[in-house]
Amino acid sequence: MPISRGFRGRRRDDAPSDRVPPGQYVADDFPVLSAGPTPRNPLDEWDLTVTGEVDGLKRWTWDEFCALPTESVTVDIHCVTKWSKLDSQWEGVSVDTLLDGVDTSAEYAVAFCDGGYTTNLPLEDLTGGKAWIAFAYDGEPLDPEHGGPARLLVPHLYFWKSAKWVRGLRLTPTDEPGFWEQNGYHIYGDPWKEQRYWGD
Ligand SMILES: Nc1nc2c(c(=O)[nH]1)N[C@H]1C(S)=C(S)[C@@H](COP(=O)(O)O)O[C@H]1N2
Ligand SMILES: [Mo]
């Protein structure tokens, strides 16, 4: 008797193609990918700053950051190593909130982190409800391995742009390649265009 696939439930790779970019597969787990050790620093030494091409520096302590308005977001994320995770649930502060009232001529930003990791993005990709500083995942405080206490979340670009242990944004007039962007990854990283590496 032939067994119809329809009786066996939906397979992982039957995920709707409009949600899984080319060359990606859907992962059920949440892999950890870090270029170095997980930094663990006391929260009273943590701050978040917006620097660079701004009138004066903007800075939040952990308590001040926690007092900002938060958003719950459910998004699909896509790692350049080819796993995608659908419907990941986060809580975070919109980057729009951090940049509210910031007057800048900068068109780009470099996110910087504890541990020295950096990644670059056009400011346009951080604003307009497209990016968050996330501090919770799946209803729990963000795991240190996944970037806790807080990480950048930019789901519409490959996940290396979502800088873990983020400590700030430096606004820049030009697009300055970050850690992976200096090491072969694409300057922009649109998963729908498969912009994985230089030249893609
Ligand atoms: N600070 C920092 N952020 C980082 C990285 C890193 O090595 N250091 N790796 C990036 C890469 S390549 C990916 S795919 C994701 C992985 O996030 P995860 O470990 O939570 O899955 O974090 C990104 N952000
Ligand atoms: Mo990655």
Side-chain angles (χ1 to χ4, degrees):
M1 267 277 272
I3 298 169
S4 159
R5 196 160 270 158
F7 295 126
R8 304 169 76 186
R10 203 172 82 178
R11 296 183 321 152
R12 302 193 324 163
D13 45 38
D14 288 341
S17 61
D18 62 344
R19 291 184 61 187
V20 185
Q24 299 291 114
Y25 69 90
V26 175
D28 294 321
D29 56 345
F30 191 177
V32 170
L33 281 132
S34 305
T38 296
R40 290 166 199 269
N41 298 314
L43 283 178
D44 60 11
E45 288 171 18
W46 186 94
D47 67 4
L48 188 73
T49 55
V50 175
T51 67
E53 299 274 304
V54 282
D55 260 357
L57 162 136
K58 284 195 113 192
R59 175 176 182 268
W60 297 264
T61 63
W62 179 253
D63 288 344
E64 290 165 345
F65 173 73
C66 290
L68 294 171
T70 65
E71 296 178 6
S72 298
V73 284
T74 301
V75 290
D76 302 341
I77 53 181
H78 313 290
C79 176
V80 72
T81 61
K82 302 204 166 175
W83 55 267
S84 289
K85 200 169 170 53
L86 304 184
D87 295 322
S88 64
Q89 293 188 300
W90 305 82
E91 265 173 83
V93 173
S94 170
V95 175
D96 291 312
T97 301
L98 301 180
L99 296 180
D100 192 34
V102 168
D103 192 21
T104 181
S105 57
E107 289 181 27
Y108 299 92
V110 174
F112 56 91
C113 306
D114 281 329
Y117 185 86
T118 56
T119 188
N120 58 295
L121 311 93
L123 209 43
E124 210 172 55
D125 289 84
L126 287 171
T127 51
K130 295 195 284 291
W132 297 266
I133 307 290
F135 55 83
Y137 174 80
D138 238 355
E140 303 286 339
L142 188 55
D143 240 310
E145 280 76 17
H146 285 298
R151 78 180 297 164
L152 188 59
L153 175 65
V154 193
H156 71 285
L157 298 177
Y158 279 125
F159 209 38
W160 86 78
K161 298 286 183 181
S162 293
K164 303 197 280 189
W165 317 298
V166 72
R167 291 291 300 277
L169 300 171
R170 186 164 57 81
L171 307 190
T172 59
T174 58
D175 205 7
E176 296 179 20
F179 176 78
W180 281 120
E181 294 84 0
Q182 291 170 39
N183 286 283
Y185 282 18
H186 196 276
I187 190 83
Y188 182 65
D190 182 345
W192 295 97
K193 296 183 177 158
E194 278 209 86
Q195 294 174 337
R196 299 177 191 274
Y197 308 110
W198 292 350
D200 282 350

